[in-house]
Amino acid sequence: MLKLGVLDQSPVIPGETAADAMARTLELAKTVERLGYTRYWVSEHHDTPGLAGSSPEILIAAIAAHTSRIRVGSAGVLLPHYSPYKVAENFRVLEALYPGRIDLGIGRAPGGMPIASEALRYGRPKEREENFAEMLRDLGGFLSDWMEPGHRFEGVRATPLVDTAPELWLLGSSGFSADRASELGGAFSFAHFINGDGGHEAVRRYFANYRPGPLGASPQANVCVIVICADTDEEAERLASSTDLRILLLEQGQFRRPFPTPEEAAGYPYTDWDRMRIQANRRRMIVGGPEKVRAQMLEFSKGYGVEELIVLTYTYDFQARLRSYELLADLFGLGR
């Protein structure tokens, strides 16, 4: 049975506020828990007015408080910006509040423009990116209360001390994070919604090379993909047209432009290059009515060799997002 989770970037739709986007996130989380989804992950973006999720730790606490069963996590905490010790403490607090329900997803992307990264680091050296593997090892050590003898932080405890630990996932759109996850024992999630190429090899290599380590004891992988499902193929394509344009504009650096409507997408003056990019970006998406989407998702998961997909439904209309998740839950018998 294929398991489904949700990635929510808390989009701010024109005519609504960031507070509205947060309220939508809580509403969607409660809905998909009722529908039988397994995970709910929230993202970290900075100085990006169109996406309200800048602090996954705080949003996780709110979502977990408004739900009771679904796993809640980050997709992901951008570790090069932060202290592994503080990340461990944040997530131990969450684990203490909601034991057995917390996922700690780690990314290494900047999450915004260079000036935002500089503000986050506030004078700390950029070379921290080169120490990513060391930071991961230390994070695992703080969460497991074990450091190698002689380690500079040996004996330092991440509080509160709790009996359980969050699941630790490495998130990536290339083979780099897959390799780090297999080396250090973490779970791995491939961001197909960012990069539609190379993921199959990254996941295959992850499973082939996996060994237990400071981040975990057994291999586990999933793939995150954009899915837009509607009652008909035609309606799904109409909804996806605004998503196509949104992704195109982001590629062009138009981060502050509002999410376009399907009507704006229909009237946009696309160049031949634009149309080529939209066609290429469709490799990151599954779009259609129920029968088409179910067949493609099953083929997609089989091709990757995974039994869980994380679904990002990226549409202008919130009710259309809800409907897409409802259709998927029915198609795959979630919650039965």
Side-chain angles (χ1 to χ4, degrees):
M1 179 70 70
L2 186 64
K3 295 186 293 184
L4 299 180
V6 173
L7 170 60
D8 182 10
Q9 297 179 326
S10 304
V12 182
I13 301 303
E16 296 188 350
T17 67
D20 294 327
M22 293 295 184
R24 298 291 198 194
T25 284
L26 295 179
E27 181 181 352
L28 182 59
K30 290 185 287 187
T31 298
V32 298
E33 178 180 65
R34 175 177 53 80
L35 292 172
Y37 284 76
T38 56
R39 302 180 196 276
Y40 198 95
W41 286 355
V42 291
S43 61
E44 179 179 334
H45 292 87
H46 300 285
D47 193 27
T48 308
L51 300 174
S54 59
S55 180
E57 303 93 333
I58 295 176
L59 200 47
I60 287 168
I63 294 167
H66 284 79
T67 55
S68 60
R69 300 181 308 278
I70 194 168
R71 296 191 67 90
V72 188
S74 56
V77 170
L78 305 179
L79 188 60
H81 294 319
Y82 310 119
S83 153
Y85 181 61
K86 186 57 180 174
V87 172
E89 290 202 322
N90 285 341
F91 277 79
R92 276 200 157 172
V93 168
L94 291 169
E95 186 69 22
L97 290 168
Y98 310 104
R101 294 183 57 203
I102 302 300
D103 294 336
L104 169 50
I106 294 293
R108 66 185 185 100
M113 299 302 287
I115 189 65
S117 295
E118 184 178 344
L120 283 164
R121 294 174 182 179
Y122 210 71
R124 295 190 301 274
K126 188 176 181 180
E127 288 72 20
R128 290 163 63 90
E129 291 182 356
E130 300 174 5
N131 300 328
F132 187 62
E134 179 184 353
M135 296 177 75
L136 288 170
R137 289 189 187 92
D138 288 351
L139 176 61
F142 289 130
L143 289 171
S144 64
D145 293 318
W146 187 87
M147 292 287 187
E148 292 184 0
H151 191 286
R152 58 178 173 155
F153 296 132
E154 184 181 9
V156 177
R157 309 292 294 278
T159 53
L161 303 180
V162 292
D163 294 331
T164 58
E167 283 189 8
L168 217 159
W169 291 76
L170 268 64
L171 318 175
S173 57
S174 70
F176 178 88
S177 290
D179 292 341
R180 302 294 83 74
S182 62
E183 292 168 2
L184 300 173
F188 175 62
S189 181
F190 184 78
H192 188 96
F193 76 100
I194 294 175
N195 180 11
D197 298 309
H200 296 84
E201 173 59 21
V203 173
R204 185 204 64 78
R205 198 164 67 230
Y206 165 77
F207 280 117
N209 297 332
Y210 183 90
R211 59 180 183 269
L215 305 187
S218 60
Q220 185 176 188
N222 63 38
V223 180
C224 183
V225 59
I226 297 170
V227 180
I228 299 175
C229 186
D231 291 283
T232 65
D233 290 348
E234 293 74 18
E235 175 62 10
E237 287 293 336
R238 188 187 75 85
L239 294 168
S241 67
S242 66
T243 306
D244 291 332
L245 179 55
R246 170 69 168 168
I247 294 172
L248 179 69
L249 295 173
L250 291 174
E251 286 186 338
Q252 296 173 352
Q254 300 187 50
F255 299 106
R256 295 179 179 274
R257 184 160 173 168
F259 203 119
T261 66
E263 291 71 28
E264 289 174 305
Y268 189 82
Y270 296 101
T271 65
D272 289 342
W273 172 259
D274 292 339
R275 296 186 187 281
M276 184 182 73
R277 286 304 310 153
I278 287 173
Q279 184 177 6
N281 286 331
R282 276 298 183 99
R283 294 198 298 269
R284 300 150 59 181
M285 304 166 63
I286 295 174
V287 177
E291 291 185 8
K292 181 179 179 181
V293 164
R294 186 177 190 278
Q296 290 189 7
M297 289 179 69
L298 288 172
E299 182 180 3
F300 181 86
S301 61
K302 182 178 179 180
Y304 263 103
V306 298
E307 297 178 350
E308 181 181 35
L309 299 181
I310 304 296
V311 176
L312 169 60
T313 299
Y314 199 46
T315 63
Y316 173 82
D317 181 74
F318 179 69
Q319 293 305 316
R321 290 174 69 199
L322 284 178
R323 181 59 178 158
S324 183
Y325 286 118
E326 289 170 353
L327 288 169
L328 295 182
D330 185 59
L331 286 172
F332 293 99
L334 304 185
R336 294 179 187 171

